[in-house]
Amino acid sequence: MTDVLVVGAGPAGLVAATVLAELGVAVRIVDRDAGPVEQSRAAIVHVRTLELLDRIGVAERAVAEGVRTTAVEVFERGRRIAGFPLVGRGSEGRTPFPFALGLAQDRTERLLVERLGQLGVRVEWDTELIGLHRVPSGVRAVVRGAEPIEARWVVGADGASSSVRRALGIGFAGRTYDQAGVLADVRLDGDPPADGTIRLHLTPGGFVGLFRLGPDRHRVFGALPRGLAPAGTEISHEPYGDVPEDRLRRWCAEVAGTAVRDVHWSALFRVHSRLAERFRSGPVFLAGDAAHIHSPAGGQGMNLAIGDAVNLAWKLGLVARGEAHERLLDSYEAERMPVAVTVLRGADRGFALETAAHPAAVWGRAHLAGRAITFAQRLPPVRHAVFRLFSQTWITYRDNPATGGVRAGGRAPCGGPRAGLRHHLLVFGDPAAGWAVEAALDAYAVPVSVEVVPAGEHGLRRQYRARPPWLVLVRPDGHIGYAGPADDLDALTAHLDRIFVRRS
Ligand SMILES: Cc1cc2nc3c(=O)[nH]c(=O)nc-3n(C[C@H](O)[C@H](O)[C@H](O)COP(=O)(O)OP(=O)(O)OC[C@H]3O[C@@H](n4cnc5c(N)ncnc54)[C@H](O)[C@@H]3O)c2cc1C
């Protein structure tokens, strides 16, 4: 019997297992494949995801291995027409990671497997889930290649065609677009995008993008133009094979004016937009692509998956340790489903705008889009909105059972104190206020680090918009769990009682 069984060792499953292992919870993780993916797939790790990976000790390694990307440049017919920063104005002081990181998914996964190993958990490869049954103690999972596994909870992080989701009979409604996309990792023959930038070429068929992924390796992506796929081949979400090299080279030369020397990897895929009707059934949860899939516009998929995993796993960890009430788990779907809906809607709109084949849309892209982008990029609110949208720093969890008080639910400034997976309480006021709060916290088993912010510390006070005496409880995922007056301990304990178990 284990506390948690994680099914699927993609980004969502690996992050969930790592958080649980860090919290000292008994966790097993199985995957039907023989090892981590070998393709580069999701190649952009956004600000919010780096902040989350930092909490499990993976961000620094990822940053050391990846390519920092800070701007997007838009080209039309070979001419640069606009530039957007990928980081907001002054964002150096607003996050420890003021860039989008170009890092291939296989490398991200290997870093996570390594971190999990350091915590004493090995992924059980070649172990496919084939059945799930409810038992009084939780769930019995039937797997190919090993004895059945009993667990109190199961995290279904087994991707778009999730066996867990199917075993639960949870619908996956949505649509599949006629349009398909193409991804390729190539070695360019000259004319690379400027370092640290994503180059987008605006073409009548949509955007074609290009950015550096590592030494001598660039990612090319775009909506699939007619004639690139070999006739009669079926395109699925899974990579089905290479794009013929000669066609890929011709396409890159035509739309991006770029000569390709070698093609390392390429994939055509059909774009889906689907959402699971529930993210939970009793002790079983869905996370990542098992819960939602969408167009790759904006490179949000893996980032959304990692966000799910952290949100779910810290809650499961505290409940498994007997430190939080079971009802905290209800907040997983309450918080993450609206985020998934927003991302799906945005990615769908982006993809539709980008690829619509209606003559008016083609004309608009050819004659208006360039001018509209050139104009919009001059407006600071637009630039800021673009940064927030792609970096996932917009994500907030207001008005739900796991947050309370003033402005609670939002991302803490700078992604929160770099306090690992502990709750962290900032007390703005004199040390006596800190002692009173610490005494109140003593009633609960959950470990919380308390930091008294002295009156002279204006920087943090401004960031948190705190008027002493004030306190802010930051959750292990860097969101504000509670904020309110430090002298109203009744309000604080009412919030804590909703979530945490009192010491007996
Ligand atoms: C070709 C391709 C290109 C992509 N490009 C991009 C991109 O450019 N940008 C972007 O953001 N996203 C991209 N994505 C999507 C991105 O890879 C996913 O959003 C991300 O991997 C989701 O992570 P996950 O952990 O939820 O699922 P997955 O990464 O799919 O991991 C699921 C894991 O579960 C395992 N599994 C499945 N069934 C079982 C079972 N029955 N038992 C045990 N294990 C099982 C699988 O082997 C797999 O390891 C791409 C996907 C593909 C296929």
Side-chain angles (χ1 to χ4, degrees):
M1 179 86 179
T2 185
D3 282 326
V4 183
L5 169 67
V6 177
V7 182
L14 289 168
V15 168
T18 307
V19 170
L20 288 160
E22 284 253 15
L23 291 172
V25 171
V27 57
R28 287 178 67 178
I29 172 165
V30 298
D31 196 288
R32 69 176 174 199
D33 285 352
V37 290
E38 288 178 352
Q39 304 137 346
S40 60
R41 294 191 182 182
I44 295 274
V45 187
H46 288 295
V47 170
R48 191 70 192 107
T49 310
L50 286 167
E51 291 171 353
L52 294 174
L53 293 179
D54 191 40
R55 292 181 172 262
I56 52 171
V58 175
E60 271 179 29
R61 287 282 313 277
V63 170
E65 291 197 16
V67 177
R68 297 173 188 218
T69 307
T70 51
V72 177
E73 296 199 301
V74 186
F75 283 70
E76 194 180 27
R77 290 185 271 271
R79 195 172 59 88
R80 184 184 181 284
I81 57 163
F84 282 96
L86 260 183
V87 290
R89 195 155 30 117
S91 49
E92 281 76 12
R94 295 191 185 163
T95 172
F97 307 101
F99 43 83
L101 189 73
L103 185 68
Q105 185 169 331
D106 54 330
R107 293 170 76 183
T108 305
E109 289 192 14
R110 278 174 201 279
L111 288 177
L112 289 165
V113 170
E114 230 175 87
R115 179 75 191 116
L116 198 52
Q118 288 166 355
L119 295 165
V121 179
R122 304 256 161 255
V123 178
E124 298 170 48
W125 301 108
D126 287 320
T127 307
E128 180 181 7
L129 177 105
I130 48 176
L132 267 188
H133 307 282
R134 288 291 295 269
V135 290
S137 55
V139 184
R140 177 183 293 127
V142 184
V143 290
R144 208 189 300 280
E147 291 294 305
I149 301 169
E150 289 205 0
R152 290 168 71 194
W153 295 279
V154 169
V155 177
D158 51 346
S161 46
S162 169
S163 308
V164 173
R165 193 185 61 235
R166 286 202 213 132
L168 298 173
I170 294 179
F172 201 38
R175 58 182 291 209
T176 298
Y177 290 88
D178 292 335
Q179 181 56 272
V182 58
L183 298 173
D185 290 353
V186 299
R187 184 169 175 205
L188 296 178
D189 217 358
D191 191 30
D195 236 19
T197 63
I198 295 178
R199 196 163 79 195
L200 287 180
H201 291 270
L202 185 56
T203 77
F207 281 112
V208 176
L210 199 65
F211 62 91
R212 191 161 81 82
L213 201 50
D216 268 342
R217 188 175 279 244
H218 283 80
R219 163 64 60 91
V220 188
F221 61 95
L224 185 71
R226 278 178 212 287
L228 197 61
T233 38
E234 191 196 326
I235 302 160
S236 73
H237 192 68
E238 303 297 329
Y240 85 97
D242 297 345
V243 183
E245 272 197 39
D246 55 332
R247 296 184 202 206
L248 190 66
R249 284 174 203 279
R250 212 176 320 128
W251 178 60
C252 287
E254 274 167 18
V255 297
T258 302
V260 166
R261 188 182 297 178
D262 303 309
V263 178
H264 300 295
W265 170 76
S266 64
L268 303 182
F269 55 91
R270 182 69 79 218
V271 175
H272 306 265
S273 175
R274 293 181 186 279
L275 182 72
E277 64 196 7
R278 280 172 291 138
F279 286 9
R280 177 184 187 183
S281 175
V284 186
F285 298 83
L286 298 176
D289 277 16
H292 39 68
I293 50 170
H294 57 83
S295 121
Q300 302 284 302
M302 183 183 71
N303 294 277
L304 197 58
I306 291 175
D308 286 351
V310 175
N311 186 296
L312 174 60
W314 74 259
K315 294 169 181 170
L316 260 182
L318 294 197
V319 173
R321 288 183 353 179
E323 292 168 356
H325 297 294
E326 182 86 48
R327 60 175 170 265
L328 176 61
L329 300 177
D330 295 341
S331 68
Y332 167 62
E333 181 181 298
E335 293 186 341
R336 292 304 292 181
M337 195 182 261
V339 171
V341 168
T342 306
V343 171
L344 254 67
R345 211 178 284 145
D348 276 7
R349 280 192 194 138
F351 194 73
L353 265 177
E354 207 186 303
T355 60
H358 189 279
V362 175
W363 186 88
R365 279 196 299 267
H367 297 95
L368 298 180
R371 266 178 264 173
I373 292 171
T374 312
F375 173 71
Q377 55 118 22
R378 295 201 192 107
L379 308 174
V382 173
R383 294 159 74 100
H384 186 61
V386 169
F387 162 70
R388 268 171 53 84
L389 183 70
F390 287 107
S391 63
Q392 296 197 349
T393 51
W394 60 270
I395 292 173
T396 183
Y397 307 131
R398 291 199 204 289
D399 305 325
N400 79 75
T403 57
V406 185
R407 292 191 299 274
R411 165 182 168 268
C414 277
R418 298 174 82 176
L421 293 168
R422 270 188 166 227
H423 276 80
H424 192 88
L425 190 75
L426 291 158
V427 184
F428 296 88
D430 56 35
W435 298 329
V437 170
E438 275 186 276
L441 284 170
D442 260 356
Y444 305 88
V446 65
V448 179
S449 32
V450 178
E451 178 183 347
V452 178
V453 183
E457 221 300 14
H458 296 296
L460 266 186
R461 241 175 83 176
R462 246 194 315 272
Q463 278 185 340
Y464 279 83
R465 288 189 272 164
R467 219 180 280 154
W470 193 254
L471 53 81
V472 179
L473 180 65
V474 182
R475 313 189 320 183
D477 56 7
H479 283 263
I480 295 176
Y482 175 85
D487 49 8
D488 187 356
L489 290 184
D490 288 347
L492 172 68
T493 50
H495 173 74
L496 298 177
D497 280 334
R498 271 208 307 277
I499 294 171
F500 301 126
V501 175
R502 281 183 178 260
R503 282 181 209 276
S504 44

